[in-house]
Amino acid sequence: MTTKRRVFLDGNGSSQINVEGLGAYVPATELVDVKQKLGTEIQQLKDQVNAMQLERSTHIDDIGIDRFTNAMRLKMAYARSKGRSGWNDQALCSGEQLAEALVENLSKGNDGTFEDVANFAMMLHQRKESPRLLIDAVSSIKANVVTELVEVLNEASEYALNNDYLQEAQVMSDAAELISNHALQVMSINKEGAA
């Protein structure tokens, strides 16, 4: 669609421009001023963008951030290609789930771990989740490890007892109780500290 302009004289003898399709009459002198102001503002914005690009491209912090961001972007695209999605929908994925995934990825230590951890941090950040979720996720993992350890010790104690290893059974049972009690104390101290 082409814009037609028609210049005419109004009753006062000043020229105005009618931009058809907009139904607007702009005094020609004002239009020139607006164009000049816009031209100046556009040039200032271009100068600012050029300055930011020059600064960004030469500072090692910005270079590192750009490279890392690109690596994160590739990792997210790969995950999407495998059908993963929904991090931004709280009905599909809770903040707790994202925090647990971040903490679990810390121990992987394989190629892509940095990107995975950063992407989970980005997801939590963009959803404005509380950093407290990370502390809760670490505590939950610790509690699960302690629970599993106590279960293994109890099973071993029961096996030893059934096979007449009474002293060994008692030692394992005592160890399980000690670990369990210690874990409960630590968790109650952590809850009090968080309150």
Side-chain angles (χ1 to χ4, degrees), residues 5-63:
R5 295 185 180 148
R6 193 180 297 157
V7 178
F8 70 99
L9 296 175
D10 66 6
N12 297 327
S14 64
S15 64
Q16 292 189 351
I17 296 176
N18 174 15
V19 181
E20 290 182 8
L22 295 178
Y25 294 91
V26 179
T29 56
E30 287 182 26
L31 183 63
V32 170
D33 290 342
V34 168
K35 282 184 176 180
Q36 190 175 19
K37 286 179 184 176
L38 283 175
T40 302
E41 289 179 16
I42 289 170
Q43 187 58 48
Q44 288 173 345
L45 289 172
K46 285 180 181 178
D47 292 344
Q48 289 174 351
V49 167
N50 288 337
M52 288 180 353
Q53 287 176 339
L54 178 62
E55 182 180 314
R56 185 187 73 198
S57 66
T58 59
H59 196 282
I60 190 66
D61 294 347
D62 295 323
I63 292 169

Side-chain angles (χ1 to χ4, degrees), residues 68 71 75 78 82 84 101-118 120:
F68 191 63
K75 194 73 163 149
Y78 180 70
K82 291 171 52 176
R84 294 189 189 137
L102 186 153
V103 171
E104 287 171 3
N105 272 275
L106 287 172
S107 64
K108 285 192 175 179
N110 58 4
D111 287 340
T113 295
F114 293 132
E115 294 87 345
D116 288 337
V117 170
F120 285 118

Side-chain angles (χ1 to χ4, degrees), residues 164-182:
D164 293 327
Y165 296 108
L166 300 179
Q167 187 175 3
E168 291 84 352
Q170 187 59 49
V171 168
M172 286 185 260
S173 178
D174 291 345
E177 186 177 346
L178 181 68
I179 291 169
S180 185
N181 288 337
H182 180 70

